[in-house]
Amino acid sequence: MARIGAKSTTGWKATISVAMSNYIEAGSIIAIATSLGFWQAQFGFTDGFAGLLAALSANAFGAAIGAIIGGPLCDRFGRKFIYTYDLMVYMVGVLIAAFAVNEWMLLAAFVITGIAVGAGVPASWTYIAEEAPADKRAAHVGTAQLAWSVGPMIGFLLAALLEPLGLLGSRIIFVHLFVVAFVTWWVRQGLSESKRWKAARDDASANAIGGKGLKALFGRKQNLTARLFLIGVYGFWNTVAGQGGIFMPRVYDAAGLTNAQQQFFLQSLLWLFTVLGTYFGFMRFADRVSRRLLYVIGAVMGIAGWVVLVYLPASAVTMLAFAVLWGFASGIGAQAFYGLWTAELFSTRYRASAQGVLFFAARIMVGILSYGFPVWLTTMGLHGLGALLIAILAVALLVGAIWAPETRGKTLEEIEEERYGAPAKSLV
């Protein structure tokens, strides 16, 4: 019988509704980034507490905890289990944020929201890749990246338009996330379970391919090298992107752009270029051209963008150049490839667990830097801290350029056979 993904089709409705986890995740990060200054002014907490809020939010440790819990649950109970219930928790978190009256209520909201998005994102990437046709897997996985890009674009645009309202505008943005989450949760109720997950669950012989459970995930050499590669690609890139996501207003201040409304409009423009890069770059070409080449182009553009921002004098031209370079690079860069490669390089039996472990590690890396970022930006200055960020991006460039796998056009079963050396089983 035909392998799943060889000729099957995946409904775009299912892909888009599951990909909305990424819109919600990114939207949460931007809601925090654009509101943090207002919250700090309202409640009077220190830069250190601001770093703690960022570190425990959807941007870092909160998402890390959710991912390490959600990934294994997703493999044990199914992909649908996670994306049925995670948004209920998320809606509680954003409502608490919208009506927070002190910093501790805000901290609780950020932790709850972070755990929810951390659980949902690995499930969404896994589900989309498993249901996608082999020759269009990057296009479908790219939909998650597209949603992740649209979230900040809309979030920063709303922040710019609502900036005159101050903290009330930020509360409205959190309410908007509640509405989006509710609609997404409602649409998802009619989705089916991943066919690959059900087949692997019902077919005991499938265990022989890549092994079963966390023991195989951590014990097999192939999985160790894949984890190291993906941390090198995504963990390092995301450590920088995570700071840019939540602390970008402070970075712009340090670079010389101090008007909050202009910052928000610039960020919305930046994310527009990320949307364009995702759709016209990654989704159009990652199934057709060398993925290594496409990755390197994105990584080089990203480094160039930060060099412009950190070392050239602030002006309309340099700010626009940064928005174009970093924005487009993020569309065809590490996160899109991470979602694709993580789905391809691990067995169905523990694919979501691998996503959870790697997402956990990446968010921990973000959290460590986030905790001290506001203070270090003040003490080291943009040039000093910017040099560190550029060096981190250079590591991600080198790892992807040297070790990018060649998986384009292959079914997940064919990749599994090549990696683990066992005959690929028919999963239907």
Side-chain angles (χ1 to χ4, degrees):
M1 304 179 84
R3 293 172 184 167
I4 296 170
K7 295 183 179 180
S8 62
T9 58
T10 296
W12 281 103
K13 176 183 176 181
T15 296
I16 292 170
S17 64
V18 174
M20 285 301 291
S21 290
N22 293 265
Y23 176 97
I24 290 165
E25 179 213 1
S28 303
I29 295 170
I30 301 314
I32 296 169
T34 56
S35 66
L36 201 54
F38 294 127
W39 295 115
Q40 190 168 8
Q42 178 71 20
F43 299 144
F45 51 77
T46 65
D47 283 347
F49 193 82
L52 181 65
L53 285 172
L56 294 178
S57 70
N59 197 48
F61 294 140
I65 295 169
I68 205 67
I69 295 171
L73 288 177
C74 188
D75 282 327
R76 182 167 184 176
F77 298 109
R79 303 357 181 175
K80 187 175 180 179
F81 173 83
I82 295 297
Y83 62 67
T84 296
Y85 297 107
D86 70 306
L87 289 184
M88 294 181 181
V89 179
Y90 178 87
M91 286 185 279
V92 171
V94 292
L95 274 185
I96 294 174
F99 297 101
V101 296
N102 58 54
E103 64 268 36
W104 301 108
M105 193 172 174
L106 193 64
L107 179 61
F110 286 4
V111 171
I112 293 171
T113 304
I115 290 173
V117 300
V121 170
S124 71
W125 278 331
T126 299
Y127 180 89
I128 292 170
E130 289 180 346
E131 292 291 283
D135 60 345
K136 295 181 180 179
R137 190 161 51 242
H140 280 258
V141 171
T143 305
Q145 174 72 6
L146 193 67
W148 184 81
S149 307
V150 171
M153 183 182 71
I154 294 177
F156 275 113
L157 181 60
L158 286 174
L161 296 175
L162 296 173
E163 192 271 340
L165 298 179
L167 185 56
L168 175 61
S170 297
R171 294 182 188 274
I172 292 173
I173 293 173
F174 279 102
V175 172
H176 132 267
L177 290 173
F178 172 85
V179 173
V180 173
F182 178 79
V183 173
T184 302
W185 173 83
W186 181 264
V187 172
R188 285 181 179 181
Q189 300 316 296
L191 297 181
S192 60
E193 180 57 87
S194 163
K195 293 184 288 293
R196 274 195 169 88
W197 178 82
K198 289 195 297 184
R201 177 199 61 187
D202 297 337
D203 184 3
S205 64
N207 295 343
I209 303 175
K212 180 180 179 181
L214 294 177
K215 181 178 180 180
L217 173 60
F218 287 100
R220 292 212 170 199
K221 179 181 178 181
Q222 299 95 325
N223 295 332
L224 172 61
T225 56
R227 291 199 309 275
L228 291 174
F229 165 71
L230 289 164
I231 289 173
V233 165
Y234 182 64
F236 279 84
W237 176 88
N238 191 60
T239 299
V240 175
Q243 313 313 316
I246 204 163
F247 291 123
M248 208 63 217
R250 296 173 186 244
V251 173
Y252 284 143
D253 281 338
L257 179 64
T258 58
N259 183 282
Q261 193 171 45
Q262 291 176 1
Q263 292 174 355
F264 296 157
F265 274 124
L266 180 63
Q267 280 297 90
S268 183
L269 179 65
L270 184 154
W271 286 103
L272 173 61
F273 281 104
T274 303
V275 170
L276 295 175
T278 301
Y279 184 76
F280 292 105
F282 186 82
M283 294 178 68
R284 291 292 186 91
F285 291 102
D287 288 311
R288 299 163 53 190
V289 304
S290 167
R291 291 176 176 174
R292 186 192 305 268
L293 175 61
L294 195 61
Y295 174 86
V296 168
I297 291 172
V300 170
M301 288 181 67
I303 292 173
W306 278 93
V307 169
V308 167
L309 180 67
V310 172
Y311 294 111
L312 295 187
S315 68
V317 174
T318 56
M319 292 299 170
L320 180 60
F322 172 74
V324 173
L325 289 168
W326 180 245
F328 200 87
S330 298
I332 61 173
Q335 179 155 294
F337 278 106
Y338 164 78
L340 181 64
W341 285 332
T342 306
E344 293 178 335
L345 298 182
F346 296 97
S347 171
T348 302
R349 284 288 186 173
Y350 44 79
R351 181 171 290 124
S353 296
Q355 291 268 16
V357 168
L358 289 164
F359 200 71
F360 174 85
R363 294 302 185 180
I364 290 295
M365 292 171 70
V366 172
I368 291 172
L369 188 54
S370 292
Y371 183 71
F373 192 91
V375 176
W376 295 335
L377 185 59
T378 300
T379 57
M380 296 173 62
L382 182 59
H383 284 194
L385 190 54
L388 174 62
L389 300 181
I390 292 168
I392 293 171
L393 290 175
V395 173
L397 164 63
L398 290 175
V399 171
I402 296 172
W403 288 291
E406 182 51 62
T407 51
R408 179 164 46 96
K410 301 173 183 177
T411 67
L412 294 180
E413 291 73 46
E414 288 170 341
I415 297 170
E416 195 166 351
E417 178 182 355
E418 290 179 359
R419 287 183 51 72
Y420 299 107
K425 307 294 183 181
S426 173
L427 295 184
V428 292

